[in-house]
Amino acid sequence: MQQDKKRNVLFIIALNLIIVAAEIFYGLLANSIALITDAFHNLGDVLAVVITYSAIVMSSKKPTFKYTFGFLKAEMMAAFVNALFLVITLGFLIYESAGRLFEPQQVQAEYMIVVALIALVANAVSAYLLSEQGMGHHHDHHDLNIRSAYLHMLGDALISLGVVAGGVIIYFFGIYMIDALLSILFSLYILKETVPLLRRSFLSLMEANLSDVRQEDIEAVLLKNEHVSGYHDLHLSQPKSNETYLTVHLLIDSDLNLSILDDILEQIREDFKLLGITHTVIQSESNSYTTDHPFCNTH
């Protein structure tokens, strides 16, 4: 099953890279900035599928002494580079399109229609293949990645349909400004989807706390046992989309029996799992380590 997923995802990547190249080539030939915008949207989503493929491949790689966390952050690193590239490119396309709104340029509508129709079919096929792989009864995190890629491809298909409609309007009515207008609308839509991804991936790489867990909920878990007097150096991070890590130093009664301490720590980990925290590291200390820095004591 895993090999089928890899094979299908690789086929989708190759197919859509061909479509991207064709849209850029014929977009320049047809002088259609809407077609070029669609190409860059497709390219962004190809990169999203590459991230999905990477998640499938890297999940099989075990941590090593050099990469003690494995390749947890590969997803967020790829997402950040992808999103940053798209934001810069779309900014340029919006600038070019704005100029064309006031000075419309002639567009070869035939190229627009044919190439966008081919892209529409390719995106529809890609979405179908992804839906077959990612919507079974057993949803692990790879299936969720594939479902996300499926939704991307579905969005691509709708944008390609918009380019086809724009080409038809230009062909029959000669309203050339529709090309620039479509480019601006598509670019703004893609930016709306991309900027949150850019922000989230950047904050993840900066080890920011992106979880919805409230500080008071964490404190309630940590301090509910009578043998726990406090905590410090609490860190929450989300190294990948489906993982939340927590590390904390816990202040414990000095004369506590080791077996009781194990029970306390295990209960805390189980309570954190209910809050959506997938990986917890707890360092237990005596009250002599009390500090006024609940989050970080490195400065």
Side-chain angles (χ1 to χ4, degrees):
M1 186 63 176
Q2 196 81 331
Q3 285 301 116
D4 289 340
K5 285 183 180 181
K6 288 182 181 180
R7 196 162 41 244
N8 276 352
V9 171
L10 279 176
F11 172 76
I12 290 164
I13 290 170
L15 176 63
N16 282 274
L17 281 175
I18 293 170
I19 294 301
V20 167
E23 285 190 315
I24 291 175
F25 177 77
Y26 284 103
L28 292 171
L29 197 64
N31 200 27
S32 170
I33 199 161
L35 200 55
I36 294 172
T37 301
D38 188 32
F40 278 102
H41 186 218
N42 270 311
L43 181 60
D45 287 344
V46 167
L47 293 175
V49 178
V50 170
I51 293 171
T52 297
Y53 180 76
S54 300
I56 295 172
V57 172
M58 289 184 177
S59 66
S60 62
K61 293 183 179 294
K62 295 181 179 179
T64 64
F65 186 68
K66 183 175 183 179
Y67 299 101
T68 55
F69 280 97
F71 295 88
L72 272 176
K73 291 194 176 183
E75 175 192 349
M76 288 298 182
M77 179 65 75
F80 176 74
V81 173
N82 174 18
L84 183 62
F85 168 76
L86 272 179
V87 167
I88 293 171
T89 303
L90 291 168
F92 173 75
L93 289 173
I94 289 173
Y95 173 78
E96 286 293 312
S97 301
R100 288 193 178 200
L101 269 182
F102 301 104
E103 295 181 12
Q105 298 183 20
Q106 188 171 351
V107 177
Q108 300 294 323
E110 298 91 337
Y111 286 130
M112 238 179 118
I113 295 168
V114 172
V115 177
L117 272 174
I118 295 171
L120 173 61
V121 172
N123 287 321
V125 169
S126 299
Y128 172 75
L129 289 174
L130 287 169
S131 70
E132 288 294 297
Q133 291 298 320
M135 296 186 185
H137 297 294
H138 304 289
H139 293 290
D140 61 15
H141 63 275
H142 303 316
D143 289 330
L144 295 177
N145 281 334
I146 290 174
R147 180 168 175 78
S148 174
Y150 158 78
L151 294 173
H152 276 293
M153 288 298 166
L154 206 58
D156 280 346
L158 293 175
I159 288 183
S160 295
L161 184 61
V163 176
V164 172
V168 170
I169 292 171
I170 292 170
Y171 183 80
F172 285 105
F173 302 103
I175 307 174
Y176 294 120
M177 70 179 295
I178 199 76
D179 180 66
L181 185 61
L182 282 174
S183 178
I184 291 173
L185 290 176
F186 293 159
S187 295
L188 291 175
Y189 166 75
I190 301 165
L191 278 174
K192 182 178 76 71
E193 301 295 315
T194 304
V195 170
L197 175 62
L198 179 66
R199 178 181 178 276
R200 185 175 183 82
S201 57
F202 173 76
L203 290 176
S204 174
L205 294 173
M206 292 296 292
E207 302 282 2
N209 173 19
L210 301 174
S211 71
D212 296 325
V213 184
R214 299 179 304 169
Q215 183 182 347
E216 49 265 40
D217 293 333
I218 290 175
E219 287 186 350
V221 170
L222 292 174
L223 303 178
K224 76 176 183 179
N225 191 284
E226 60 182 6
H227 297 292
V228 179
S229 59
Y231 70 91
H232 63 92
D233 284 284
L234 172 70
H235 298 284
L236 266 172
S237 63
Q238 201 165 37
K240 59 186 295 188
S241 57
N242 62 316
E243 297 279 351
T244 301
Y245 280 31
L246 181 146
T247 64
V248 66
H249 292 221
L250 204 60
L251 302 177
I252 307 283
D253 292 347
S254 302
D255 57 351
L256 198 64
N257 183 283
L258 190 58
S259 62
I260 297 176
L261 174 61
D262 287 343
D263 290 339
I264 293 172
L265 298 183
E266 189 57 36
Q267 184 59 57
I268 288 173
R269 289 189 179 95
E270 290 301 316
D271 289 344
F272 277 153
K273 284 180 182 177
L274 296 177
L275 293 177
I277 297 169
T278 56
H279 184 74
T280 304
V281 177
I282 304 172
Q283 178 173 321
S284 55
E285 300 173 341
S286 69
N287 289 324
S288 62
Y289 286 89
T290 301
T291 174
D292 293 328
H293 302 275
F295 302 121
C296 189
N297 193 21
T298 58
H299 300 291

